Amino acid sequence: MTHNALQSLRRHGPTPADAAVRLHAEQVTADLAAQRAKWANGFTRRTFIGGAAGVAALGAQLATAKVSFAAPGTQQTGTLVLVSLRGGLDGLTALVPANDPNLLRARPDIAVPASRLLSADRGFGLHPAMQPLHAFWRSGRMAALPAVSSPDLSRSHFQATDCLERGAASTSVTTGWLDRVLAKMGPGTTFRAISSGGVLPRSLAGPQPDKLVLDGIESFRLETRDGLRDRTLTALRALHTGLDHMLARQGTTAVNALTEAEKIINQGYAPAVAYPEGAFASRLKDIARLVKAGVGVRVATVEIGGWDTHTNVGRVDDGYLARHLAELSKGLAAFAGDLGDRLDDVTLVMVTEFGRRLEQNGSGGLDHGHGGAVFLLGGGLNGGKVHGRWPGLAASALDHGDVAGANDYRDVLAEALERRFGITDVATVFPGHTYRRLGAYR
Amino acid sequence: MTDRGGYGADRAAERERRRREINRYFGWQDDEPEPEQRHVQHRRDGQYRQDGHYHPDGQVYRAGSPHWVDERQTGIVDLSDYEDDDRSGRRNGWRRRHTLAALGGTAAVVAGGAAVARNRQARELLEEWLDRPPSSPPKVDAGAVPPRNWVNDGAPTENGAFPDRDASYVESTKPDPPSGSGTGTGSGTTPGTAAGAGTGTGTGAGAGTSTGTGTSLGPGTGTNPGTGTAPRTQPPVTGTRPTPTDAARAAAKATPTTTLLAYDPAVHLLRRAAFGPTQQDLATVRRTGLDAWLEQQLNTATADPLDRALATTFPTLAMTTAQLRATEGNDSVDPQREAVLAAFARQLWSTRQLHEVVVDFWANHLNIPAPFEAGRNTYTSWHRDVIRRHAFGRFSDMLIASARSARMMTYLDNADSRKESVNENYGRELLELHTVGVNGGYTESDVRNAAYVLTGRGVKDDEFRYEPRRHWTGAVKVMGFSSPNPTAEGGLAVGDQMLAYLATHPATATNIARKLAVRFVADSPPAELVARLAKTYLDSGTAIVPVLRTLFRSVELWSGLGQKIRRPAENVAATVRALGIPAPPAGADLKRGVDVLYTRLRRISAAPQQWVPPNGYPDVAAAWSSTHSTVVLWNTQRSLARNTWRELRATRPEALVGAPAATAGGYLDQLTVRLVHQRLAPAYRKALLDFLGATDTTPVRDATLGGMVGDLVPLILNSPYHALR
């Protein structure tokens, strides 16, 4: 038997590495097939979500399930804000291991000198361009984790972003992770899920209703002649009532959102602090405005691109990356300052699809890497600290020359969900992942 | 490792025996300590490097040896084959990297036969296998071809593990089964009033009733909106009839499912076989009859006056790839955008509407996004020579042409695939999307073999080129197709044979038939209809026109009234056509007119060919739920009705109806008949009268209704009557 089994092992691949992976693949296939068999035999969605766990098979379930009740113990207040840094932020420039000889050797032209860093924790420092956020760091409303990734994230923008937003490696998980979060949070108001900036992100895609994509709340209005707005909205609402069809539900949500938005727009908005120029800051301002308006925002997303620094990262004072970090920081600082006390109700997480290579490339830039930094802002933090494992930058600790993925992004997000939103059943939000607490949240 | 389940007292001994066997087989020492991890050699720009030192191309470090050896002899994976730093938005051969990364990082990759994977996780995976009970050995893929210098992503097979995407969306809208806890079961009427303890949102899908409909070929009064849950009382009428008119008549006798739309076969035909009725088309259909109009549409010899206007406006349309290459550097020429805008313009204004509907269908089935970086010169030929040329032809011809397209080879990375490092992307999508479909019954082995067969097909200077020396030779088997595939020069022909096999496979027939039925009939089409279309497809040798004929002779199509929604791009097209907006004069006006609408659609990520992955836009209502899209669409309809854009001249609202009726109610009916081809149900009629501040009998002084008609017309277009088809 053993000999035959070995022969079969050999047939799985030309090398043991391949063979091992293929075996794992067979295992997952068998599990998925078993899951489908169970499913075909009358396993209902409710019992499934209530009980079972484990394996990517869960994902196939989540693609079609829709939980219409909130899990017990879930908090009914508080806003999760996800800031997606598109392109791959270089963690080692934002959260810098001070005086690390490997870093200095690998980046002779672009490493941030230790003397310029803002103090952080555990031998790390923040890039000086993040000065606007340093007050929040010192007051315990900001924290960071280095070397964050997951084994499923590759160096491809498309794949890594897609994986990150679905919160799973297997493509059988088709909903975005935030859609699953909304399912756990239960029903809410028209504004419970907003995407500030044009497009519904993949992380929000799924069957949960009522997601608003706003591209500037000031422009979220129906174009009507002056004085006819209310009558038009009334007519639209009536035209979408009494029809049992998705169009009617969508139309009603839209009318509700337009009506609410109108009130909010008419109130005008005087932010507590001045926001800087730029699309990113104005999108954050819209989120702050809605959070403060008390319209029940539970999940908000916003993205900012321009992190794909293959060339010309630049120097600490005037380089491109420094300026972009300054824009990011000023926007976030304004957002946090504008929220004021409400910042304690907000859980803001900044993620990026991957970090960048340790070694600078031939153009003074950085190519795609793996482990990156995650920044946390808001309430409930063990703030002013750097959390998670730091494997260092010695050659043996790197992953193909990149910062290793010592901390899993799903652990960060799951902890936020658990500690801040009372969502303890994180296995349904991140199927196929075993959650390990990092201690970033109290 | 974790204990995965006991198989008796001598489990430990059995395990130990297996472990030694494996160690002997792989040349590992039984008591070897965990070795320190080594760098993976990473190649950049043709040179290998380790610890910062570059070495001559082709030489890598072999574990345990001080020498550099040739990669091609040892089969070491070159990870940079899978670098895709500069290719965003595509699914590349990323899986290999992610697989190796999943093995925990800095493993030295193997060197040939005496394989030594020093990676702890690889070992752990093997040890999991060691712990398997003897009665359940790992599954062997019986069809596996002995691998020879191939690399594979090792990703778990997802074949059949998740449902068809459209079906998944549809299923996500179904109510959960009723449970004892009293949450709503979603057959509620008005939204938000689900029966039971009110935590559910009403999720029933179309379970209302209907009442009578008009049975003549004129406009009817529409059905009442669902007020209860009475099911149909008679079975639906199905099957084909000798002519479309007969099928339409048979459908009139059936009890339709609930819908707002009145049954008017001429209107229904133009909603399904065209991008919405225009006044002229409606008059033509009523005059000549359904059958004659359809035959005219299927007649490929008909000329379209729009062709000349488009040729003038978009000069790159007729250019070959070589000619387009010659225009490089000229930033004012944007071939991809021109091709996409021209296709969209045809949807709005072509007289050959059914052809454009089918072109849109194929362009989505074999989806390739545009504009797409590095695709400047290849999209024009793709759309013209692959999609348009074969849209009314045979799918097998289209498929074979697509597999010889530079654009497809680039998009799905087949241009990078060669026998030393096969890229499976195109092989996989060919099976999963283009032909047999995700439930077609293929295995990972079939994907691998398909990828082998397709090696050698690549690109040079933006043109398709088959490179024999890249072709993998050796016996191949893809589902029921097998070939000795003995020579490199013969590889192209082997590929064509495989494609012909796949195009005529019953699973392909079902896949395409189903997608056609979803496009033309309903989100969940009847299985019998799908089977009928699949049979026609196979009987006609994959020709599409006979399938269309069967489709329009099927009663199901005619009784599928109101079962589809218009996707945003279709909605915009239908609005343009409903408002009687003619094609702007050729040149700058035509270009700008189309461009402004295309840009609007881009804002809601619904523009033609904007969808990036190869599976194309979803085609079911559940996938298109977005308030942002709704609001932008409503505003676009308003702008079109109000003639906001100079180039797009809608009929003025007060001129939509010839002579307005004497009462507000009568005028409203005339307007709704003009725009959505029926009178509205009483509740909605009243809502619009309330908007006007009038009653049914309020007298009409002039056609502008005191200026309000310009506000009334957009409301009619914003309503579900225009959004359904």
Side-chain angles (χ1 to χ4, degrees):
Chain A
M1 196 296 287
T2 311
H3 176 70
N4 288 339
L6 279 173
Q7 284 300 107
S8 72
L9 184 68
R10 187 178 205 167
R11 285 164 69 82
H12 274 69
T15 70
D18 288 310
V21 174
R22 303 223 107 236
L23 273 174
H24 188 223
E26 302 283 2
Q27 197 176 305
V28 174
T29 314
D31 286 326
L32 282 166
Q35 202 53 54
R36 273 192 17 247
K38 259 195 212 166
W39 192 228
N41 292 335
F43 212 51
T44 67
R45 293 182 196 102
R46 293 273 164 74
T47 57
F48 183 76
I49 285 189
V55 195
L58 251 175
Q61 212 37 48
L62 289 168
T64 56
K66 194 165 59 170
V67 179
S68 63
F69 51 87
T74 314
Q75 311 280 44
Q76 291 308 314
T77 57
T79 307
L80 176 65
V81 179
L82 185 75
V83 178
S84 297
L85 307 175
R86 304 276 188 219
L89 162 71
D90 178 45
L92 295 173
T93 298
L95 185 69
V96 189
N99 283 321
D100 187 313
N102 298 295
L103 183 64
L104 297 169
R105 197 176 344 117
R107 298 182 175 190
D109 302 314
I110 56 176
V112 183
S115 59
R116 302 297 311 276
L117 295 174
L118 307 169
S119 65
D121 180 35
R122 277 167 73 184
F124 286 93
L126 299 178
H127 191 286
M130 299 179 73
Q131 174 64 47
L133 286 171
H134 201 225
F136 297 98
W137 182 276
R138 289 195 307 271
S139 67
R141 262 110 42 98
M142 186 173 170
L145 299 100
V148 178
S149 185
S150 109
D152 317 310
L153 301 183
S154 74
R155 277 75 164 165
S156 153
H157 287 300
F158 182 70
Q159 185 275 338
T161 304
D162 189 63
C163 213
L164 184 71
E165 304 214 277
R166 287 181 298 104
S170 167
T171 56
S172 61
V173 178
T174 59
T175 53
W177 72 274
L178 283 174
D179 182 76
R180 304 195 284 277
V181 166
L182 286 172
K184 303 299 288 185
M185 283 175 170
T189 66
T190 306
F191 285 92
R192 70 174 180 144
I194 57 178
S195 171
S196 189
V199 184
L200 190 77
R202 188 65 183 82
S203 47
L204 269 175
Q208 285 293 306
D210 294 333
K211 292 161 192 145
L212 284 187
V213 176
L214 301 170
D215 207 356
I217 189 155
E218 291 286 334
S219 66
F220 191 74
R221 40 190 352 165
L222 197 64
E223 287 162 19
T224 62
R225 276 200 298 149
D226 288 335
L228 283 179
R229 248 197 47 90
D230 291 342
R231 270 158 66 168
T232 307
L233 284 174
T234 306
L236 275 173
R237 186 189 296 283
L239 285 170
H240 289 85
T241 304
L243 173 65
D244 198 358
H245 191 281
M246 149 267 182
L247 274 176
R249 291 188 281 282
Q250 190 175 308
T252 308
T253 306
V255 172
N256 290 340
L258 285 166
T259 312
E260 302 263 351
E262 185 66 17
K263 294 186 209 135
I264 295 170
I265 294 169
N266 287 340
Q267 277 166 19
Y269 187 59
V273 302
Y275 279 82
E277 291 294 314
F280 177 63
S282 70
R283 285 167 181 166
L284 285 172
K285 182 160 70 167
D286 275 349
I287 296 177
R289 181 175 182 178
L290 288 170
V291 168
K292 285 162 77 175
V295 290
V297 180
R298 306 301 316 280
V299 170
T301 67
V302 65
E303 57 183 54
I304 169 170
W307 303 102
D308 194 21
T309 50
H310 282 283
T311 60
N312 205 10
V313 161
R315 292 183 311 210
V316 59
D317 286 313
D318 55 6
Y320 167 78
L321 191 48
R323 283 180 280 117
H324 212 41
L325 278 170
E327 179 188 346
L328 173 75
S329 307
K330 285 181 197 151
L332 287 168
F335 175 70
D338 190 12
L339 285 172
D341 293 334
R342 308 272 312 234
L343 183 61
D344 290 327
D345 290 334
V346 167
T347 307
L348 187 149
V349 185
M350 272 182 264
V351 298
T352 193
E353 60 256 42
F354 41 66
R356 306 194 82 83
R357 288 190 74 75
L358 169 64
E359 198 163 310
Q360 69 183 66
N361 64 20
S363 326
L366 298 160
D367 297 323
H368 297 182
H370 193 55
V374 164
F375 291 95
L376 309 171
L377 190 62
L381 282 171
N382 286 320
K385 295 204 165 359
V386 173
H387 298 280
R389 295 203 289 220
W390 173 238
L393 299 172
S396 54
L398 295 176
D399 176 335
H400 298 67
D402 304 328
V403 177
N407 306 301
D408 197 300
Y409 72 93
R410 288 169 290 188
D411 288 332
V412 184
L413 299 173
E415 185 167 324
L417 293 174
E418 186 196 44
R419 310 304 300 172
R420 298 282 289 160
F421 296 92
I423 295 173
T424 49
D425 184 15
V426 291
T428 51
V429 180
F430 296 113
H433 176 67
T434 313
Y435 162 51
R436 219 189 67 243
R437 202 158 165 238
L438 291 163
Y441 288 92
R442 288 201 289 269
Chain B
M1 263 322 287
T2 52
D3 186 330
R4 296 190 64 80
Y7 46 89
D10 46 357
R11 175 189 164 280
E14 171 69 14
R15 193 185 179 289
E16 184 57 29
R17 198 167 59 76
R18 288 184 180 188
R19 195 177 70 81
R20 287 182 189 283
E21 189 72 38
I22 285 182
N23 287 347
R24 255 197 308 284
Y25 173 72
F26 288 120
W28 299 339
Q29 301 309 307
D30 286 340
D31 298 306
E32 187 156 352
E34 202 54 43
E36 58 178 284
Q37 293 169 317
R38 299 175 212 276
H39 259 302
V40 152
Q41 312 317 310
H42 197 89
R43 190 174 91 170
R44 290 204 183 275
D45 304 322
Q47 294 190 313
Y48 286 92
R49 67 185 180 93
Q50 182 198 12
D51 299 324
H53 299 288
Y54 283 80
H55 295 269
D57 188 3
Q59 306 283 303
V60 296
Y61 184 71
R62 185 209 288 246
S65 156
H67 304 294
W68 294 85
V69 298
D70 188 81
E71 176 217 24
R72 278 168 283 282
Q73 289 170 4
T74 61
I76 288 181
V77 171
D78 178 358
L79 289 175
S80 72
D81 282 347
Y82 302 90
E83 287 268 349
D84 44 15
D85 292 5
D86 299 317
R87 301 179 219 149
S88 58
R90 285 190 286 164
R91 286 168 58 186
N92 286 301
W94 52 264
R95 293 193 183 103
R96 176 67 185 186
R97 267 201 108 141
H98 112 262
T99 299
L100 289 171
L103 293 180
T106 64
V109 191
V110 302
V116 180
R118 292 292 175 197
N119 181 277
R120 190 168 53 84
Q121 271 175 285
R123 224 166 166 162
E124 281 174 6
L125 282 165
L126 284 171
E127 289 187 9
E128 275 189 42
W129 174 79
L130 280 176
D131 286 320
R132 234 179 250 263
S135 55
S136 65
K139 287 201 327 250
V140 178
D141 188 344
V145 175
R148 199 179 74 195
N149 282 342
W150 58 265
V151 292
N152 189 29
D153 58 15
T157 177
E158 288 141 347
N159 176 35
F162 58 95
D164 172 73
R165 189 243 329 244
D166 284 351
S168 169
Y169 272 114
V170 170
E171 191 166 344
S172 76
T173 62
K174 290 191 184 143
D176 283 328
S179 72
S181 63
T183 51
T185 56
S187 56
T189 55
T190 55
T193 60
T199 55
T201 51
T203 58
T209 57
S210 68
T211 57
T213 62
T215 52
S216 70
L217 289 177
T221 57
T223 55
N224 284 322
T227 54
T229 56
R232 314 168 172 265
T233 50
Q234 65 195 71
V237 180
T238 61
T240 54
R241 296 293 183 278
T243 67
T245 307
D246 294 332
R249 285 220 172 86
K253 298 196 184 74
T255 309
T257 52
T258 186
T259 177
L260 289 180
L261 302 186
Y263 186 49
D264 179 343
V267 176
H268 183 63
L269 179 65
L270 291 168
R271 282 181 174 134
R272 296 294 172 95
F275 284 93
T278 59
Q279 291 296 96
Q280 295 95 308
D281 281 347
L282 202 50
T284 306
V285 173
R286 293 205 205 282
R287 187 179 69 246
T288 67
L290 313 172
D291 304 343
W293 188 86
L294 266 170
E295 279 308 311
Q296 170 78 334
Q297 290 287 308
L298 290 170
N299 181 354
T300 53
T302 322
D304 185 354
L306 190 66
D307 288 340
R308 199 148 24 124
L310 289 177
T312 311
T313 312
F314 301 115
T316 63
L317 288 182
M319 289 188 188
T320 65
T321 305
Q323 289 169 326
L324 288 171
R325 277 170 72 84
T327 67
E328 273 195 24
N330 183 350
D331 284 339
S332 67
V333 176
D334 191 347
Q336 294 187 91
R337 199 176 179 94
E338 288 199 359
V340 172
L341 290 179
F344 188 41
R346 289 187 201 272
Q347 293 178 5
L348 301 175
W349 295 302
S350 173
T351 53
R352 301 187 57 212
Q353 281 286 299
L354 181 56
H355 182 255
E356 294 312 312
V357 171
V358 174
V359 164
D360 185 56
F361 172 80
W362 288 125
N364 209 42
H365 177 67
L366 297 174
N367 187 58
I368 295 193
F372 193 72
E373 59 177 281
R376 179 190 189 273
N377 302 326
T378 49
Y379 185 75
T380 306
S381 166
W382 161 260
H383 190 76
R384 179 189 62 223
D385 304 326
V386 178
I387 300 291
R388 296 192 73 84
R389 177 161 303 162
H390 300 290
F392 268 2
R394 291 174 193 271
F395 179 65
S396 48
D397 294 336
M398 184 185 287
L399 188 68
I400 288 174
S402 74
R404 290 179 185 234
S405 154
R407 183 51 167 251
M408 180 62 84
M409 295 306 106
T410 316
Y411 173 58
L412 290 181
D413 307 312
N414 210 59
D416 300 330
S417 181
R418 55 186 192 278
K419 63 178 183 228
E420 302 88 10
S421 69
V422 178
N423 186 306
E424 283 193 356
N425 199 5
Y426 184 38
R428 185 179 303 277
E429 307 305 1
L430 182 71
L431 292 170
E432 181 178 325
L433 299 173
H434 297 175
T435 57
V436 296
V438 77
N439 293 312
Y442 60 90
T443 65
E444 280 299 299
S445 165
D446 295 323
V447 171
R448 276 204 308 279
N449 279 253
Y452 294 154
V453 172
L454 295 164
T455 49
R457 294 176 179 239
V459 175
K460 177 142 167 67
D461 294 339
D462 291 329
E463 306 267 14
F464 174 79
R465 183 145 106 178
Y466 176 72
E467 194 64 62
R469 65 181 174 79
R470 287 184 159 205
H471 182 74
W472 192 97
T473 51
V476 289
K477 181 180 176 307
V478 178
M479 301 175 78
F481 168 79
S482 55
S483 164
N485 186 25
T487 68
E489 289 70 28
L492 193 61
V494 172
D496 287 349
Q497 286 160 22
M498 178 183 75
L499 292 165
Y501 164 80
L502 288 172
T504 53
H505 195 284
T508 304
T510 306
N511 188 25
I512 291 180
R514 189 173 189 285
K515 289 179 82 169
L516 276 170
V518 169
R519 175 95 295 258
F520 281 98
V521 179
D523 286 356
S524 290
E528 193 190 289
L529 171 68
V530 174
R532 191 185 314 146
L533 296 174
K535 182 172 185 306
T536 308
Y537 171 92
L538 289 173
D539 289 346
S540 70
T542 78
I544 185 70
V545 168
V547 181
L548 292 171
R549 289 210 167 91
T550 305
L551 189 59
F552 284 97
R553 282 162 177 72
S554 297
V555 182
E556 292 91 337
L557 180 142
W558 299 93
S559 51
L561 177 70
Q563 296 303 304
K564 296 287 297 178
I565 60 152
R566 289 180 160 141
R567 300 185 294 197
E570 294 167 42
N571 196 316
V572 168
T575 307
V576 165
R577 293 168 69 77
L579 289 170
I581 298 177
D589 280 0
L590 177 53
K591 188 168 187 169
R592 181 149 191 277
V594 179
D595 197 84
V596 74
L597 293 175
Y598 172 77
T599 306
R600 268 299 168 99
L601 287 168
R602 280 200 77 92
R603 272 179 61 192
I604 55 176
S605 301
Q609 305 313 129
Q610 194 183 357
W611 181 269
V612 175
N615 56 355
Y617 279 115
D619 203 358
V620 294
W624 288 96
S625 175
S626 158
T627 49
H628 174 62
S629 293
T630 303
V631 175
V632 171
L633 204 53
W634 284 346
N635 284 336
T636 307
Q637 290 163 336
R638 294 171 164 270
S639 298
L640 283 169
R642 285 204 223 98
N643 278 283
T644 304
W645 297 296
R646 181 182 63 79
E647 296 83 2
L648 300 166
R649 309 176 103 57
T651 310
R652 300 210 61 76
E654 60 271 17
L656 281 170
V657 166
T663 62
Y667 189 25
L668 176 62
D669 290 337
Q670 285 175 310
L671 277 172
T672 60
V673 166
R674 167 66 181 80
L675 290 169
V676 295
H677 312 288
Q678 66 183 81
R679 300 206 287 272
L680 306 194
Y684 306 126
R685 212 167 156 275
K686 180 167 187 310
L688 289 180
L689 285 170
D690 289 346
F691 171 78
L692 290 172
T695 69
D696 207 7
T697 51
T698 307
V700 169
R701 268 181 275 280
D702 68 278
T704 70
L705 288 174
M708 291 289 284
V709 73
D711 307 291
L712 178 63
V713 163
L715 266 179
I716 297 172
L717 295 171
N718 292 160
S719 75
Y721 284 91
H722 185 69
L724 290 169
R725 65 180 177 95

